[in-house]
Amino acid sequence: GGPMYVIRPNVGPVGEKHRPTLEAVWAQSEFGDGALWRIYVRANDPDGDLDKVFISFDQLGGTHPGEHLIIPPSQRKRMNGAVLIMARVKGFNTDPSIHGSTYIHVEDRAGNISNSKTFEFTILAIGPGDIGEAPPSFEKNVSLGQAGFPIRSYEDLGSGGCTTPGC
């Protein structure tokens, strides 16, 4: 057979008092196409079994299923760090700007899901080179993992993904 993919079983106590809390999220709201974008996440869990960050993206004309990032073991009790995203728009992009939103929650080993946060962002064709400094309550040098960036150009969305004439 082919490769085996192991999905970790949900283990641990379930219920309202075991839910993790997503305390705060911060990200630069405007950035250039191709920027390394950091979404800072701060969360905690009463049982110390934080396990995953869930992140998904929306844009007009396209919703994306999202993905789970398994976080480093050092972040199980208190999560504080950044999800790294190479924010390159898919498709030939002549749009001056593209708008989208990001939805985030965290989960623990038992499958308890936190409150969620949603925020909007704008990708500029020529954007600020610097990614803004996160507020002091966020850890600057902790990586929570890397997420994909499924945002597509409006031309790409409008053509159903077709980018060459006559297809």
Side-chain angles (χ1 to χ4, degrees):
M4 289 246 317
Y5 295 100
V6 179
I7 301 295
R8 294 215 279 224
N10 287 345
V11 289
V14 176
E16 196 55 43
K17 66 179 190 289
H18 300 287
R19 277 182 71 187
T21 302
L22 181 57
E23 296 173 355
V25 172
W26 184 89
Q28 182 162 317
S29 59
E30 288 195 342
F31 50 89
D33 188 3
L36 177 63
W37 189 39
R38 290 174 175 85
I39 299 176
Y40 291 89
V41 179
R42 215 174 67 226
N44 68 68
D45 185 78
D47 306 304
D49 65 340
L50 280 169
D51 193 44
K52 302 178 193 79
V53 177
F54 177 82
I55 183 166
S56 67
F57 295 97
D58 272 302
Q59 71 182 120
L60 201 62
T63 300
H64 309 284
E67 63 182 298
H68 285 92
L69 305 178
I70 304 269
I71 60 155
S74 63
Q75 302 290 308
R76 294 236 167 93
K77 179 76 184 154
R78 285 194 58 77
M79 179 191 299
N80 192 341
V83 174
L84 305 179
I85 295 162
M86 183 50 71
R88 189 168 297 291
V89 173
K90 294 187 179 5
F92 179 66
N93 184 18
T94 59
D95 303 305
S97 64
I98 293 175
H99 303 282
S101 66
T102 303
Y103 164 95
I104 290 182
H105 71 241
V106 297
E107 298 177 25
D108 67 13
R109 288 291 299 268
N112 298 300
I113 294 176
S114 73
N115 53 310
S116 64
K117 297 197 184 293
T118 303
F119 58 92
E120 300 191 355
F121 61 86
T122 302
I123 308 153
L124 304 168
I126 297 163
D130 61 322
I131 293 292
E133 188 71 3
S137 62
F138 292 98
E139 288 292 338
K140 310 288 186 292
N141 302 315
V142 175
S143 169
L144 300 175
Q146 193 161 357
F149 192 66
I151 300 298
R152 291 163 59 188
S153 70
Y154 293 130
E155 295 102 317
D156 202 37
L157 282 169
S159 64
C162 166
T163 52
T164 57
C167 63

